[in-house]
Amino acid sequence: MLNNIMLGLSALCEPQTLLFLFIGTLLGLIIGALPGLTGNMAIALMVPLTYTMAPTTGLAFLTAIYCSSIFGGSISAILLGIPGTISSFATTLDGYPMAKLGKAGLALGISTLSSVFGGLFSAIVLMTLTTVLAEFALRFGPAEYFAVAVLGLSCIASIGGKSLAKGLLSGFLGLFVACIGMDPQNGVRRFTFGSVNLLGGLNMVAVLIGLFGVISILKSAEKAGVPEENGEMAKISSVWVDGPMCRHLLPTWLRGSFIGTLIGIIPGAGTNVATFLAYDIEKKISKDPETFGEGNPRGVAAPESANNGVTGGSLVPLLALGVPGNATSALFLSALMLQGLNTGPVLFTEHADIVYALFLAFFAANIIMAPLGLFLLRYIKRILTIPEALMGGIIMAFCVTGVFSIASNPFDVMVTLLFGLIGYIFYKFDVPSAPLIVCLVLGSMAESNLRQALVASKGSYSFMWTRPITAIVLAVSLISFFVPVISNFIKLARKRRHPNTVSVGDLLGDKADDMDDD
């Protein structure tokens, strides 16, 4: 392992890679701080750009954007009371009251250190746990990979928001899109409608940029002409966090980082679950729970350490097993595919230098994020005043040029615009887009491995219960799918009996539906 770390370190220390690490951290911080723009949107726009880079440089660039954009969302949450992403919503509960009490600098400083602590904690787990899982996955065959793909697909029941039916609808649309093109075994055309451009299926990057990039422009256009009612931004004093305060917050950082990393590893959970869970646990075990919501520093430290803890954890199943558990890991998968790299154990055996460079990029991005974030916090007001119309034009230019640059095919631009429109329709009707993305990525993986498993078993489906690992994973998949279904029916029954009762889960579901691209 030490040799692999040295290989990764030498690849990461290339001047160009270090430069893009810095640029990615700065870019992610700015985009995360701007309300309405998300880290996933930034990653989607930058994926085509990585096509021209070395694999290590491109992945390090995306990693830096990912880590810093999660942290950046807390800036507007503290200064304006407006969370840039759902991952920063819990931060507003105590961060904004701290700002109104004249402690905006302290809140931002705590947010910075908490995010860095959570990110470094998740990076350690990512490096250690992923290698163990990858070694275990070397024993996997097509049957086991089919079961793992089904496990990833089963999470659509839990990432579908408050409406199970809408989540399933989104997932089925993703499976349909995954079937477009030529059959991988017998070459039969499927849903191509006579178009040559559809023989190879839809360009995944074009789809993702439409769902993340174009939709943000349409949302901004919808709000054009509507006056914003933001209050006066709090003044930023010193952002320094002294030693006694750090020692006071250390247990909170450990708990939040552990919760965030664990939740990140679970497919379909995400930052919204991690931040609210960390905040809730911190409040319950506190000796002064009544101070939460009134400017308690631990109310900032808990969710911020948790949301950056998710970053490293979310890539564990992708790198080790090839299964993206959320939209962000699906974007990383598309970046790997653009570079001609396969995820899973083969990535560790054939490209150990790239894998360990990615691990170390998580450490480097979080280390860079601390001084850069603390320095920029004094000038953040100027960043928050960037007009949305200007940002919309820049984003659209990146969407079109980025997609076209991959294959120089105008049809891909049409696909981007089409899925931007589909994403906007989903947004208007409260249909989550995350199930569509997960099913689009995993649909072909499940199909190809199922067919290979059937060939190996001579057409018999008995491998599903005769192979121990396959049987266990499929059983877990059934549980993963039906537990949210049963829970949904229970909630509906309770609402019918008590129509005026609103639970915390309902509130969380509403917020997650508003920003399900996190």
Side-chain angles (χ1 to χ4, degrees), residues 98-110:
M98 286 183 69
K100 291 194 292 185
L101 292 172
K103 300 179 180 179
L106 177 61
L108 290 170
I110 291 174

Side-chain angles (χ1 to χ4, degrees), residues 146-155 267 321 323 442 473-474 476-477 480:
F146 164 72
V148 170
V150 172
L151 177 61
L153 290 170
S154 69
C155 78
L321 304 174
V323 176
L442 293 179
V473 175
L474 288 176
V476 173
S477 302
S480 174

Side-chain angles (χ1 to χ4, degrees), residues 412-429:
D412 291 338
V413 178
M414 294 175 58
V415 171
T416 297
L417 298 177
L418 173 63
F419 275 87
L421 180 60
I422 291 174
Y424 183 71
I425 294 173
F426 275 22
Y427 162 70
K428 297 299 291 184
F429 289 93

Side-chain angles (χ1 to χ4, degrees), residues 388-425:
E388 282 194 24
L390 175 60
M391 289 301 302
I394 295 173
I395 291 170
M396 178 56 81
F398 268 111
C399 288
V400 174
T401 57
V403 171
F404 185 78
S405 65
I406 296 175
S408 300
N409 188 354
F411 182 79
D412 291 338
V413 178
M414 294 175 58
V415 171
T416 297
L417 298 177
L418 173 63
F419 275 87
L421 180 60
I422 291 174
Y424 183 71
I425 294 173

Side-chain angles (χ1 to χ4, degrees), residues 309-378:
V310 172
T311 55
S314 64
L315 293 190
V316 170
L318 171 68
L319 296 176
L321 304 174
V323 176
N326 58 18
T328 305
S329 53
L331 291 169
F332 271 86
L333 176 61
S334 63
L336 289 166
M337 293 173 63
L338 273 181
Q339 297 287 351
L341 303 173
N342 296 315
T343 54
V346 67
L347 185 63
F348 287 77
T349 55
E350 296 181 0
H351 304 283
D353 57 333
I354 297 176
V355 175
Y356 279 84
L358 176 60
F359 292 158
L360 295 174
F362 269 90
F363 287 97
N366 282 281
I367 292 172
I368 294 172
M369 190 169 69
L372 183 62
L374 292 173
F375 173 76
L376 284 180
L377 290 177
R378 293 183 175 274

